[in-house]
Amino acid sequence: MLRDRAEELGPLAHYLLEVEWPELYRRAEQLRAAGTPPDDPQVRRLVARIDELGAQFSGGDRQLSAGVRAAWADDPAGLADVPADQATTWGELARYLDMARQRNDTKEQEHA
């Protein structure tokens, strides 16, 4: 399904996958490593954009997006094809972004 969606998006998919998404994760990791709290507005904006891109690729299917995040949490080294020590950083970043998501969800509920 994700591959089909990437084909539908055409050249935009390449930009999102190869340029924007990695840059968002690099910026999020810099903030995490610097000790920026997950509820910081910068982090919340980054995670909102990451999730927006995820929604574009999943066609808005939240279960599919959650499944992709779970797969990355379960086996980041295998999915990224990197050594386990590099995958540890991914796991820490994934937990950090999930905390920001929870904060975003709380903020949305407060404003509903």
Side-chain angles (χ1 to χ4, degrees), residues 30-96:
Q30 288 171 344
L31 291 168
R32 186 199 67 79
T36 306
D39 61 349
D40 183 278
Q42 293 177 85
V43 179
R44 291 182 29 238
R45 280 191 302 273
L46 282 172
V47 82
R49 180 61 182 154
I50 288 168
D51 290 348
E52 185 179 305
L53 295 179
Q56 283 184 298
F57 276 91
S58 71
D61 184 334
R62 289 178 177 240
Q63 288 182 327
L64 179 60
S65 293
V68 170
R69 284 196 307 275
W72 275 100
D74 288 343
D75 186 17
L79 288 173
D81 195 27
V82 298
D85 61 331
Q86 287 179 336
T88 299
T89 300
W90 167 258
E92 292 168 0
L93 178 58
R95 284 186 292 280
Y96 178 75

Short mmCIF file of all heavy atoms in Angstrom, two decimals, residues 30-96:
data_model
loop_
_atom_site.label_atom_id
_atom_site.label_comp_id
_atom_site.label_asym_id
_atom_site.label_seq_id
_atom_site.Cartn_x
_atom_site.Cartn_y
_atom_site.Cartn_z
N GLN A 30 18.37 16.38 16.91
CA GLN A 30 19.18 17.45 17.49
C GLN A 30 18.49 18.03 18.72
O GLN A 30 19.15 18.27 19.74
CB GLN A 30 19.42 18.56 16.46
CG GLN A 30 20.38 18.17 15.36
CD GLN A 30 20.42 19.21 14.24
OE1 GLN A 30 19.56 20.08 14.13
NE2 GLN A 30 21.42 19.09 13.38
N LEU A 31 17.19 18.23 18.64
CA LEU A 31 16.45 18.76 19.79
C LEU A 31 16.44 17.75 20.94
O LEU A 31 16.64 18.12 22.10
CB LEU A 31 15.02 19.12 19.38
CG LEU A 31 14.90 20.32 18.44
CD1 LEU A 31 13.49 20.42 17.86
CD2 LEU A 31 15.28 21.61 19.16
N ARG A 32 16.24 16.47 20.63
CA ARG A 32 16.25 15.44 21.67
C ARG A 32 17.60 15.38 22.36
O ARG A 32 17.69 15.39 23.58
CB ARG A 32 15.90 14.07 21.08
CG ARG A 32 15.76 12.98 22.17
CD ARG A 32 15.88 11.58 21.59
NE ARG A 32 17.21 11.30 21.08
CZ ARG A 32 18.26 10.97 21.85
NH1 ARG A 32 18.14 10.89 23.16
NH2 ARG A 32 19.43 10.73 21.31
N ALA A 33 18.67 15.36 21.55
CA ALA A 33 20.02 15.26 22.09
C ALA A 33 20.39 16.48 22.93
O ALA A 33 21.17 16.38 23.87
CB ALA A 33 21.03 15.06 20.96
N ALA A 34 19.81 17.63 22.59
CA ALA A 34 20.08 18.86 23.34
C ALA A 34 19.25 18.94 24.62
O ALA A 34 19.42 19.88 25.40
CB ALA A 34 19.79 20.07 22.46
N GLY A 35 18.35 17.97 24.83
CA GLY A 35 17.56 17.96 26.04
C GLY A 35 16.29 18.79 25.96
O GLY A 35 15.67 19.10 27.00
N THR A 36 15.88 19.16 24.76
CA THR A 36 14.65 19.93 24.59
C THR A 36 13.46 19.05 24.99
O THR A 36 13.35 17.92 24.52
CB THR A 36 14.49 20.38 23.13
OG1 THR A 36 15.67 21.08 22.73
CG2 THR A 36 13.27 21.27 22.95
N PRO A 37 12.59 19.54 25.85
CA PRO A 37 11.44 18.73 26.27
C PRO A 37 10.52 18.40 25.09
O PRO A 37 10.37 19.22 24.17
CB PRO A 37 10.70 19.60 27.29
CG PRO A 37 11.56 20.78 27.55
CD PRO A 37 12.61 20.85 26.49
N PRO A 38 9.90 17.23 25.11
CA PRO A 38 9.04 16.85 23.99
C PRO A 38 7.82 17.75 23.83
O PRO A 38 7.23 17.79 22.75
CB PRO A 38 8.60 15.41 24.31
CG PRO A 38 9.11 15.11 25.65
CD PRO A 38 10.03 16.17 26.09
N ASP A 39 7.45 18.49 24.86
CA ASP A 39 6.29 19.38 24.71
C ASP A 39 6.68 20.78 24.24
O ASP A 39 5.83 21.65 24.12
CB ASP A 39 5.47 19.45 26.00
CG ASP A 39 6.25 20.00 27.18
OD1 ASP A 39 7.49 20.14 27.08
OD2 ASP A 39 5.62 20.27 28.21
N ASP A 40 7.95 20.97 23.91
CA ASP A 40 8.41 22.25 23.36
C ASP A 40 7.71 22.48 22.02
O ASP A 40 7.54 21.55 21.22
CB ASP A 40 9.94 22.20 23.16
CG ASP A 40 10.49 23.51 22.66
OD1 ASP A 40 10.42 23.75 21.44
OD2 ASP A 40 11.00 24.27 23.49
N PRO A 41 7.29 23.69 21.75
CA PRO A 41 6.58 23.98 20.49
C PRO A 41 7.35 23.55 19.23
O PRO A 41 6.74 23.08 18.26
CB PRO A 41 6.38 25.49 20.52
CG PRO A 41 6.37 25.84 21.96
CD PRO A 41 7.34 24.87 22.62
N GLN A 42 8.68 23.67 19.24
CA GLN A 42 9.46 23.26 18.07
C GLN A 42 9.29 21.77 17.81
O GLN A 42 9.13 21.33 16.68
CB GLN A 42 10.95 23.52 18.29
CG GLN A 42 11.34 24.97 18.37
CD GLN A 42 12.84 25.05 18.66
OE1 GLN A 42 13.64 24.99 17.74
NE2 GLN A 42 13.19 25.18 19.93
N VAL A 43 9.35 20.99 18.88
CA VAL A 43 9.24 19.54 18.76
C VAL A 43 7.83 19.17 18.33
O VAL A 43 7.64 18.33 17.44
CB VAL A 43 9.61 18.85 20.09
CG1 VAL A 43 9.47 17.33 19.95
CG2 VAL A 43 11.01 19.23 20.54
N ARG A 44 6.85 19.81 18.92
CA ARG A 44 5.46 19.52 18.58
C ARG A 44 5.17 19.84 17.12
O ARG A 44 4.44 19.12 16.45
CB ARG A 44 4.52 20.25 19.53
CG ARG A 44 4.61 19.64 20.94
CD ARG A 44 3.69 20.22 22.00
NE ARG A 44 2.47 20.76 21.51
CZ ARG A 44 2.08 22.03 21.70
NH1 ARG A 44 2.85 22.87 22.36
NH2 ARG A 44 0.92 22.45 21.25
N ARG A 45 5.76 20.93 16.60
CA ARG A 45 5.58 21.26 15.18
C ARG A 45 6.25 20.22 14.29
O ARG A 45 5.69 19.82 13.26
CB ARG A 45 6.13 22.66 14.88
CG ARG A 45 5.19 23.78 15.27
CD ARG A 45 5.64 25.12 14.73
NE ARG A 45 6.97 25.53 15.13
CZ ARG A 45 7.24 26.19 16.26
NH1 ARG A 45 6.28 26.56 17.08
NH2 ARG A 45 8.49 26.52 16.54
N LEU A 46 7.46 19.78 14.68
CA LEU A 46 8.16 18.78 13.88
C LEU A 46 7.35 17.48 13.82
O LEU A 46 7.18 16.89 12.75
CB LEU A 46 9.54 18.49 14.46
CG LEU A 46 10.63 19.51 14.17
CD1 LEU A 46 11.88 19.20 14.97
CD2 LEU A 46 10.95 19.55 12.69
N VAL A 47 6.87 17.03 14.97
CA VAL A 47 6.13 15.77 14.99
C VAL A 47 4.81 15.91 14.23
O VAL A 47 4.38 14.96 13.55
CB VAL A 47 5.94 15.23 16.43
CG1 VAL A 47 4.78 15.88 17.14
CG2 VAL A 47 5.75 13.73 16.43
N ALA A 48 4.20 17.08 14.29
CA ALA A 48 2.97 17.30 13.51
C ALA A 48 3.26 17.18 12.02
O ALA A 48 2.48 16.56 11.27
CB ALA A 48 2.36 18.65 13.86
N ARG A 49 4.38 17.73 11.56
CA ARG A 49 4.73 17.65 10.14
C ARG A 49 5.11 16.22 9.76
O ARG A 49 4.72 15.72 8.69
CB ARG A 49 5.87 18.62 9.79
CG ARG A 49 6.28 18.59 8.34
CD ARG A 49 5.15 18.97 7.40
NE ARG A 49 5.59 18.87 6.00
CZ ARG A 49 4.80 18.64 4.99
NH1 ARG A 49 3.50 18.53 5.16
NH2 ARG A 49 5.28 18.56 3.76
N ILE A 50 5.85 15.54 10.62
CA ILE A 50 6.20 14.14 10.37
C ILE A 50 4.92 13.32 10.21
O ILE A 50 4.79 12.51 9.28
CB ILE A 50 7.08 13.58 11.51
CG1 ILE A 50 8.49 14.18 11.43
CG2 ILE A 50 7.13 12.05 11.46
CD1 ILE A 50 9.35 13.92 12.65
N ASP A 51 3.97 13.55 11.09
CA ASP A 51 2.71 12.81 11.02
C ASP A 51 1.88 13.22 9.81
O ASP A 51 1.17 12.39 9.23
CB ASP A 51 1.92 12.99 12.31
CG ASP A 51 2.58 12.26 13.48
OD1 ASP A 51 3.50 11.45 13.25
OD2 ASP A 51 2.17 12.50 14.63
N GLU A 52 1.98 14.46 9.41
CA GLU A 52 1.28 14.92 8.20
C GLU A 52 1.82 14.18 6.98
O GLU A 52 1.06 13.73 6.12
CB GLU A 52 1.48 16.43 8.06
CG GLU A 52 0.73 17.07 6.92
CD GLU A 52 0.98 18.57 6.89
OE1 GLU A 52 0.76 19.25 7.90
OE2 GLU A 52 1.39 19.05 5.82
N LEU A 53 3.14 14.04 6.92
CA LEU A 53 3.74 13.30 5.81
C LEU A 53 3.32 11.83 5.87
O LEU A 53 3.02 11.22 4.84
CB LEU A 53 5.26 13.41 5.84
CG LEU A 53 5.84 14.80 5.61
CD1 LEU A 53 7.36 14.77 5.68
CD2 LEU A 53 5.37 15.38 4.29
N GLY A 54 3.30 11.28 7.08
CA GLY A 54 2.85 9.89 7.24
C GLY A 54 1.43 9.70 6.74
O GLY A 54 1.11 8.70 6.09
N ALA A 55 0.58 10.69 7.01
CA ALA A 55 -0.81 10.62 6.56
C ALA A 55 -0.89 10.67 5.03
O ALA A 55 -1.73 10.01 4.43
CB ALA A 55 -1.63 11.74 7.19
N GLN A 56 0.00 11.44 4.41
CA GLN A 56 0.02 11.50 2.95
C GLN A 56 0.34 10.13 2.36
O GLN A 56 -0.25 9.71 1.38
CB GLN A 56 1.04 12.52 2.45
CG GLN A 56 0.58 13.94 2.58
CD GLN A 56 1.59 14.90 1.97
OE1 GLN A 56 2.73 14.98 2.41
NE2 GLN A 56 1.16 15.61 0.96
N PHE A 57 1.28 9.44 2.98
CA PHE A 57 1.69 8.14 2.46
C PHE A 57 0.72 7.03 2.82
O PHE A 57 0.59 6.06 2.08
CB PHE A 57 3.10 7.77 2.93
CG PHE A 57 4.14 8.37 2.05
CD1 PHE A 57 4.68 9.61 2.34
CD2 PHE A 57 4.58 7.71 0.92
CE1 PHE A 57 5.62 10.19 1.51
CE2 PHE A 57 5.51 8.28 0.08
CZ PHE A 57 6.04 9.53 0.38
N SER A 58 0.04 7.16 3.95
CA SER A 58 -0.89 6.11 4.37
C SER A 58 -2.30 6.35 3.85
O SER A 58 -3.19 5.54 4.08
CB SER A 58 -0.92 6.02 5.89
OG SER A 58 -1.58 7.16 6.43
N GLY A 59 -2.49 7.48 3.18
CA GLY A 59 -3.83 7.83 2.72
C GLY A 59 -4.74 8.19 3.89
O GLY A 59 -5.95 8.09 3.79
N GLY A 60 -4.14 8.59 5.01
CA GLY A 60 -4.91 8.99 6.19
C GLY A 60 -5.28 7.83 7.10
O GLY A 60 -5.99 8.02 8.09
N ASP A 61 -4.78 6.64 6.82
CA ASP A 61 -5.08 5.45 7.63
C ASP A 61 -4.21 5.48 8.89
O ASP A 61 -3.03 5.15 8.85
CB ASP A 61 -4.82 4.20 6.80
CG ASP A 61 -5.19 2.91 7.52
OD1 ASP A 61 -5.18 2.87 8.76
OD2 ASP A 61 -5.49 1.93 6.81
N ARG A 62 -4.81 5.88 10.01
CA ARG A 62 -4.05 6.01 11.26
C ARG A 62 -3.50 4.68 11.75
O ARG A 62 -2.43 4.64 12.33
CB ARG A 62 -4.90 6.66 12.34
CG ARG A 62 -5.17 8.12 12.11
CD ARG A 62 -6.07 8.68 13.20
NE ARG A 62 -6.26 10.09 13.00
CZ ARG A 62 -5.92 11.01 13.88
NH1 ARG A 62 -5.39 10.66 15.02
NH2 ARG A 62 -6.11 12.28 13.62
N GLN A 63 -4.24 3.60 11.51
CA GLN A 63 -3.76 2.28 11.94
C GLN A 63 -2.52 1.88 11.15
O GLN A 63 -1.58 1.33 11.72
CB GLN A 63 -4.85 1.22 11.78
CG GLN A 63 -5.95 1.36 12.81
CD GLN A 63 -7.00 0.27 12.68
OE1 GLN A 63 -7.28 -0.20 11.59
NE2 GLN A 63 -7.57 -0.11 13.81
N LEU A 64 -2.51 2.19 9.88
CA LEU A 64 -1.33 1.89 9.07
C LEU A 64 -0.14 2.71 9.54
O LEU A 64 0.96 2.18 9.71
CB LEU A 64 -1.62 2.16 7.58
CG LEU A 64 -0.46 1.91 6.62
CD1 LEU A 64 -0.02 0.45 6.68
CD2 LEU A 64 -0.87 2.28 5.21
N SER A 65 -0.35 4.00 9.79
CA SER A 65 0.73 4.85 10.30
C SER A 65 1.25 4.34 11.63
O SER A 65 2.47 4.27 11.85
CB SER A 65 0.25 6.29 10.45
OG SER A 65 -0.03 6.86 9.19
N ALA A 66 0.34 3.96 12.52
CA ALA A 66 0.76 3.42 13.83
C ALA A 66 1.51 2.11 13.65
O ALA A 66 2.50 1.85 14.35
CB ALA A 66 -0.45 3.23 14.73
N GLY A 67 1.08 1.30 12.69
CA GLY A 67 1.77 0.04 12.42
C GLY A 67 3.19 0.25 11.91
O GLY A 67 4.11 -0.47 12.30
N VAL A 68 3.35 1.25 11.07
CA VAL A 68 4.69 1.56 10.56
C VAL A 68 5.58 2.03 11.71
O VAL A 68 6.73 1.59 11.84
CB VAL A 68 4.63 2.62 9.43
CG1 VAL A 68 6.02 3.12 9.07
CG2 VAL A 68 3.94 2.04 8.20
N ARG A 69 5.05 2.91 12.58
CA ARG A 69 5.83 3.36 13.74
C ARG A 69 6.18 2.19 14.64
O ARG A 69 7.30 2.09 15.15
CB ARG A 69 5.08 4.44 14.51
CG ARG A 69 5.10 5.79 13.84
CD ARG A 69 4.70 6.92 14.77
NE ARG A 69 3.44 6.74 15.45
CZ ARG A 69 2.23 7.06 14.94
NH1 ARG A 69 2.16 7.59 13.73
NH2 ARG A 69 1.15 6.86 15.64
N ALA A 70 5.24 1.27 14.85
CA ALA A 70 5.49 0.10 15.69
C ALA A 70 6.57 -0.79 15.09
O ALA A 70 7.43 -1.31 15.80
CB ALA A 70 4.20 -0.69 15.90
N ALA A 71 6.53 -0.96 13.77
CA ALA A 71 7.56 -1.78 13.11
C ALA A 71 8.94 -1.17 13.30
O ALA A 71 9.92 -1.87 13.56
CB ALA A 71 7.23 -1.93 11.62
N TRP A 72 9.02 0.16 13.18
CA TRP A 72 10.30 0.84 13.40
C TRP A 72 10.74 0.70 14.85
O TRP A 72 11.92 0.53 15.13
CB TRP A 72 10.21 2.31 13.01
CG TRP A 72 10.43 2.54 11.55
CD1 TRP A 72 9.48 2.73 10.60
CD2 TRP A 72 11.68 2.57 10.87
NE1 TRP A 72 10.06 2.89 9.37
CE2 TRP A 72 11.42 2.79 9.51
CE3 TRP A 72 13.00 2.43 11.28
CZ2 TRP A 72 12.42 2.88 8.56
CZ3 TRP A 72 14.00 2.52 10.33
CH2 TRP A 72 13.71 2.74 8.98
N ALA A 73 9.80 0.74 15.78
CA ALA A 73 10.15 0.59 17.20
C ALA A 73 10.63 -0.84 17.48
O ALA A 73 11.55 -1.04 18.27
CB ALA A 73 8.95 0.94 18.07
N ASP A 74 10.01 -1.83 16.83
CA ASP A 74 10.36 -3.23 17.06
C ASP A 74 11.71 -3.61 16.46
O ASP A 74 12.47 -4.36 17.06
CB ASP A 74 9.29 -4.16 16.48
CG ASP A 74 8.00 -4.13 17.28
OD1 ASP A 74 8.01 -3.67 18.44
OD2 ASP A 74 6.97 -4.57 16.73
N ASP A 75 12.01 -3.15 15.27
CA ASP A 75 13.23 -3.56 14.58
C ASP A 75 13.82 -2.43 13.75
O ASP A 75 13.90 -2.51 12.52
CB ASP A 75 12.95 -4.77 13.69
CG ASP A 75 14.22 -5.35 13.07
OD1 ASP A 75 15.34 -5.04 13.55
OD2 ASP A 75 14.09 -6.10 12.08
N PRO A 76 14.26 -1.36 14.42
CA PRO A 76 14.81 -0.24 13.64
C PRO A 76 16.06 -0.61 12.85
O PRO A 76 16.25 -0.13 11.74
CB PRO A 76 15.09 0.83 14.69
CG PRO A 76 15.18 0.10 15.99
CD PRO A 76 14.30 -1.11 15.84
N ALA A 77 16.90 -1.46 13.41
CA ALA A 77 18.13 -1.83 12.69
C ALA A 77 17.79 -2.57 11.40
O ALA A 77 18.37 -2.30 10.36
CB ALA A 77 19.02 -2.69 13.59
N GLY A 78 16.84 -3.48 11.47
CA GLY A 78 16.46 -4.24 10.29
C GLY A 78 15.80 -3.39 9.24
O GLY A 78 16.11 -3.50 8.05
N LEU A 79 14.90 -2.51 9.66
CA LEU A 79 14.20 -1.67 8.69
C LEU A 79 15.11 -0.63 8.06
O LEU A 79 14.98 -0.31 6.89
CB LEU A 79 13.00 -0.99 9.34
CG LEU A 79 11.82 -1.92 9.64
CD1 LEU A 79 10.76 -1.19 10.43
CD2 LEU A 79 11.24 -2.48 8.36
N ALA A 80 16.02 -0.09 8.85
CA ALA A 80 16.93 0.93 8.32
C ALA A 80 18.19 0.33 7.73
O ALA A 80 18.98 1.03 7.11
CB ALA A 80 17.30 1.92 9.43
N ASP A 81 18.38 -0.99 7.95
CA ASP A 81 19.58 -1.67 7.48
C ASP A 81 20.84 -0.98 8.02
O ASP A 81 21.74 -0.63 7.27
CB ASP A 81 19.59 -1.75 5.95
CG ASP A 81 20.62 -2.75 5.45
OD1 ASP A 81 20.94 -3.71 6.18
OD2 ASP A 81 21.12 -2.57 4.31
N VAL A 82 20.83 -0.79 9.36
CA VAL A 82 21.97 -0.17 10.04
C VAL A 82 22.38 -1.06 11.21
O VAL A 82 21.60 -1.90 11.67
CB VAL A 82 21.64 1.25 10.56
CG1 VAL A 82 21.29 2.18 9.41
CG2 VAL A 82 20.52 1.22 11.59
N PRO A 83 23.60 -0.87 11.72
CA PRO A 83 24.03 -1.63 12.90
C PRO A 83 23.15 -1.32 14.11
O PRO A 83 22.55 -0.24 14.21
CB PRO A 83 25.47 -1.14 13.13
CG PRO A 83 25.90 -0.54 11.83
CD PRO A 83 24.67 -0.02 11.18
N ALA A 84 23.09 -2.26 15.03
CA ALA A 84 22.22 -2.14 16.21
C ALA A 84 22.52 -0.88 17.03
O ALA A 84 21.59 -0.27 17.56
CB ALA A 84 22.36 -3.38 17.08
N ASP A 85 23.80 -0.48 17.13
CA ASP A 85 24.11 0.71 17.93
C ASP A 85 23.51 1.98 17.33
O ASP A 85 23.08 2.87 18.05
CB ASP A 85 25.62 0.87 18.16
CG ASP A 85 26.41 1.03 16.88
OD1 ASP A 85 25.99 0.50 15.83
OD2 ASP A 85 27.47 1.68 16.94
N GLN A 86 23.44 2.05 16.02
CA GLN A 86 22.77 3.20 15.39
C GLN A 86 21.27 3.13 15.61
O GLN A 86 20.61 4.15 15.75
CB GLN A 86 23.07 3.24 13.90
CG GLN A 86 24.47 3.66 13.56
CD GLN A 86 24.72 3.65 12.07
OE1 GLN A 86 24.05 2.95 11.32
NE2 GLN A 86 25.70 4.42 11.63
N ALA A 87 20.73 1.93 15.65
CA ALA A 87 19.29 1.76 15.86
C ALA A 87 18.86 2.17 17.26
O ALA A 87 17.72 2.58 17.46
CB ALA A 87 18.90 0.31 15.59
N THR A 88 19.77 2.11 18.22
CA THR A 88 19.44 2.53 19.58
C THR A 88 19.02 3.99 19.59
O THR A 88 18.04 4.36 20.24
CB THR A 88 20.65 2.32 20.52
OG1 THR A 88 20.97 0.93 20.52
CG2 THR A 88 20.36 2.78 21.93
N THR A 89 19.73 4.83 18.86
CA THR A 89 19.39 6.24 18.78
C THR A 89 18.00 6.40 18.17
O THR A 89 17.21 7.22 18.63
CB THR A 89 20.43 7.02 17.95
OG1 THR A 89 21.70 6.87 18.58
CG2 THR A 89 20.09 8.49 17.85
N TRP A 90 17.70 5.60 17.14
CA TRP A 90 16.38 5.68 16.54
C TRP A 90 15.31 5.35 17.57
O TRP A 90 14.28 6.02 17.64
CB TRP A 90 16.26 4.74 15.34
CG TRP A 90 14.83 4.60 14.94
CD1 TRP A 90 14.00 3.56 15.21
CD2 TRP A 90 14.03 5.59 14.29
NE1 TRP A 90 12.74 3.82 14.74
CE2 TRP A 90 12.73 5.07 14.17
CE3 TRP A 90 14.28 6.86 13.78
CZ2 TRP A 90 11.69 5.76 13.58
CZ3 TRP A 90 13.24 7.56 13.18
CH2 TRP A 90 11.97 7.00 13.09
N GLY A 91 15.52 4.32 18.39
CA GLY A 91 14.54 3.94 19.40
C GLY A 91 14.30 5.06 20.39
O GLY A 91 13.15 5.34 20.77
N GLU A 92 15.36 5.72 20.80
CA GLU A 92 15.23 6.85 21.73
C GLU A 92 14.47 7.99 21.07
O GLU A 92 13.61 8.62 21.70
CB GLU A 92 16.61 7.31 22.18
CG GLU A 92 17.32 6.28 23.06
CD GLU A 92 18.79 6.59 23.29
OE1 GLU A 92 19.29 7.62 22.77
OE2 GLU A 92 19.44 5.80 23.98
N LEU A 93 14.77 8.27 19.81
CA LEU A 93 14.07 9.33 19.10
C LEU A 93 12.59 8.98 18.92
O LEU A 93 11.72 9.83 19.09
CB LEU A 93 14.73 9.59 17.74
CG LEU A 93 14.06 10.66 16.86
CD1 LEU A 93 13.99 12.01 17.58
CD2 LEU A 93 14.79 10.78 15.54
N ALA A 94 12.31 7.73 18.60
CA ALA A 94 10.91 7.30 18.41
C ALA A 94 10.11 7.50 19.70
O ALA A 94 8.98 7.99 19.66
CB ALA A 94 10.86 5.85 17.96
N ARG A 95 10.70 7.16 20.84
CA ARG A 95 10.02 7.36 22.13
C ARG A 95 9.79 8.85 22.39
O ARG A 95 8.74 9.26 22.87
CB ARG A 95 10.81 6.71 23.26
CG ARG A 95 10.66 5.19 23.29
CD ARG A 95 11.32 4.56 24.49
NE ARG A 95 12.76 4.66 24.46
CZ ARG A 95 13.56 3.86 23.75
NH1 ARG A 95 13.03 2.90 23.01
NH2 ARG A 95 14.86 4.00 23.78
N TYR A 96 10.78 9.66 22.09
CA TYR A 96 10.70 11.10 22.25
C TYR A 96 9.57 11.68 21.40
O TYR A 96 8.75 12.48 21.88
CB TYR A 96 12.06 11.69 21.86
CG TYR A 96 12.22 13.19 21.89
CD1 TYR A 96 12.34 13.85 23.11
CD2 TYR A 96 12.32 13.92 20.72
CE1 TYR A 96 12.55 15.23 23.13
CE2 TYR A 96 12.53 15.28 20.74
CZ TYR A 96 12.65 15.93 21.96
OH TYR A 96 12.87 17.29 21.99
#
